[in-house]
Amino acid sequence: MDEYDRLCRYIADRTNAVVLSVDYRLSPEHPSPAAADDSLAAWRWLLDNTAAMGLDPQRLAVMGDSAGGNLSTVVCQQAKQAGLALPALQVLIYPTTDGALKHPSVQTLGQGFGLDLALLTWFRSQFIQDQALIEDYRVSPLRNPDLAGLPSTILITATDPLRDEGLEYGEKLRASGVDVTSLDYPQLVHGFLTMGGVIPAARKAVNAICDATAQRL
C-alpha cells in the first residue's frame, strides 16, 4: 500500500473520486486464492458501507495493474457469481488473466522489457503453490466461459509479457457483449503506471486512464 499511496492520491486528484486502496494478504505466506478472497471481502465491505461514506453505489469502479488487474476482474466475476452488486466499471491495466504463462507474448516479450519470463515464473511459483489452481477462475479469469453481464471495461495494454492474455481477455469480453474500451501503449513497458514521475509518456498514459475512468463514471 505504501508503494502505491502516491499514485492513488494522484488518481483521486485527477478523477475527483474517492479512492480506496485495498491491503490484501500476500504470497508466499498466503498463496492463492487468499488475495482474491480478500479482495472480494473488501468489495462486500464497500457495498455495505457506501451510504456511510457518502458514495453513490451506481458509480463504483475497480482498478488495478498487473496482479491488481487480475484481482479487479476476479472481483467482478466472483461478485456476479455470488449475486452481489457489480461495479459500474473495471479498469484493467496490463492484467494477468491466465496462470499458465503459455501465451506467445510471454516468450516473445519475456526478455528485455523489465518484467521477464524468469521473474514471472518466480512470481507464479510463490503465488500458485497448488498447480490445480491454474484452472481456478480466481487465478485465471480468462478461463471463465461465462463473461456475460460483467461491467464495462477499460483495458490497458503495453509491450510486456502479459500483453496477449490481456488482449485475449478483452476479446472474450467483447464476444460476451461487454463494452470494452482499449488503450494500448506499445511504447511503454510493464509497470509504467508508477513511472509517471520520470517518463513523460507514462504520465500522459496515466492521465488518459484517469480521464477515461472519470468520463465513464
Side-chain angles (χ1 to χ4, degrees), residues 4-17:
Y4 275 72
D5 183 72
R6 185 183 297 273
L7 174 64
C8 287
R9 291 173 183 273
Y10 185 85
I11 292 170
D13 183 64
R14 182 81 184 188
T15 61
N16 196 33

Side-chain angles (χ1 to χ4, degrees), residues 3-197:
E3 181 181 351
Y4 275 72
D5 183 72
R6 185 183 297 273
L7 174 64
C8 287
R9 291 173 183 273
Y10 185 85
I11 292 170
D13 183 64
R14 182 81 184 188
T15 61
N16 196 33
V18 175
V19 174
L20 285 79
S21 182
V22 176
D23 193 14
Y24 51 85
R25 289 172 291 171
L26 302 175
S27 59
E29 294 83 1
H30 304 284
S32 180
D37 293 344
D38 288 353
S39 297
L40 182 61
W43 178 249
R44 290 180 184 272
W45 181 91
L46 178 58
L47 293 178
D48 290 340
N49 288 275
T50 50
M53 299 179 68
L55 304 179
D56 183 350
Q58 303 301 315
R59 298 172 62 201
L60 302 177
V62 289
M63 175 189 287
D65 74 319
S66 194
N70 171 281
L71 294 174
S72 294
T73 200
V74 165
V75 163
C76 295
Q77 290 191 11
Q78 294 296 307
K80 175 189 169 184
Q81 181 176 320
L84 301 174
L86 296 180
L89 177 69
Q90 57 177 346
V91 185
L92 312 178
I93 305 166
Y94 38 81
T96 172
T97 64
D98 190 275
L101 298 180
K102 297 297 185 182
H103 283 75
S105 61
V106 172
Q107 296 295 330
T108 60
L109 301 175
Q111 189 172 0
F113 295 94
L115 178 64
D116 60 29
L117 178 56
L119 187 58
L120 264 178
T121 302
W122 184 85
F123 283 149
R124 187 183 69 168
S125 71
Q126 306 303 305
F127 180 63
I128 308 174
Q129 297 180 13
D130 178 359
Q131 292 303 300
L133 284 172
I134 290 177
E135 298 295 332
D136 193 311
Y137 303 151
R138 292 172 296 177
V139 172
S140 300
L142 179 63
R143 302 191 181 208
N144 190 338
D146 181 17
L147 303 182
L150 290 178
S152 295
T153 303
I154 300 174
L155 176 68
I156 297 92
T157 48
T159 294
D160 75 334
L162 305 178
R163 179 178 180 84
D164 285 350
E165 62 193 78
L167 292 172
E168 184 178 349
Y169 191 61
E171 289 305 311
K172 287 191 70 173
L173 287 170
R174 289 188 182 94
S176 299
V178 177
D179 179 45
V180 178
T181 298
S182 292
L183 299 177
D184 187 30
Y185 297 100
Q187 75 275 29
L188 295 172
V189 296
H190 191 87
F192 75 74
L193 193 67
T194 56
M195 299 177 184

